[in-house]
């Protein structure tokens, strides 16, 4: 679909969000703080850092197993991107 050809006078607004801010917000909304080590005491930056490291490892493993274009690798344990 070519938007310019279909609606030449359309004006588009693109909103972008800092990916780290989005990931931290997602972490606070969906992640179970009980999964963090006790010394992190809940949803702390150290817990977030550990979670991100585990998520990168999960994605890398998935990509190696399923290939670089697999949509399976985008979905985490919560079923969200």
């Amino acid at each position: 679909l070519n938007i310019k050809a279909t609606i030449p006078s359309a004006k588009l607004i693109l909103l972008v969000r800092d990916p780290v801010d989005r990931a931290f917000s997602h972490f606070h909304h969906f992640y179970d703080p009980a999964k963090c080590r006790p010394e992190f005491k809940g949803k702390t930056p150290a817990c977030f850092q550990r979670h991100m490291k585990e998520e990168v490892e999960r994605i890398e493993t998935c990509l190696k197993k399923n290939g670089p274009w697999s949509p399976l690798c985008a979905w985490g344990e919560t079923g969200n991107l």
Side-chain angles (χ1 to χ4, degrees):
L1 176 67
N2 185 328
I3 295 173
K4 187 174 182 178
T6 306
I7 312 169
S9 62
K11 297 195 187 291
L12 301 177
I13 298 173
L14 176 67
L15 299 175
V16 293
R17 187 171 176 192
D18 182 306
V20 175
D21 288 344
R22 193 220 53 85
F24 195 62
S25 174
H26 180 89
F27 168 75
H28 273 280
H29 188 71
F30 290 105
Y31 193 70
D32 180 3
K35 292 181 180 181
C36 289
R37 294 193 310 239
E39 65 268 23
F40 291 151
K41 295 182 176 68
K43 296 178 179 180
T44 64
C47 183
F48 173 68
Q49 184 177 10
R50 177 175 173 237
H51 176 70
M52 288 295 98
K53 181 180 178 200
E54 291 169 355
E55 187 66 5
V56 167
E57 290 169 357
R58 181 195 67 79
I59 292 169
E60 287 174 344
T61 301
C62 182
L63 291 172
K64 286 177 187 173
K65 180 180 175 185
N66 298 298
W69 298 105
S70 175
L72 299 172
C73 300
W75 300 93
E77 64 186 38
T78 60
N80 295 293
L81 289 175

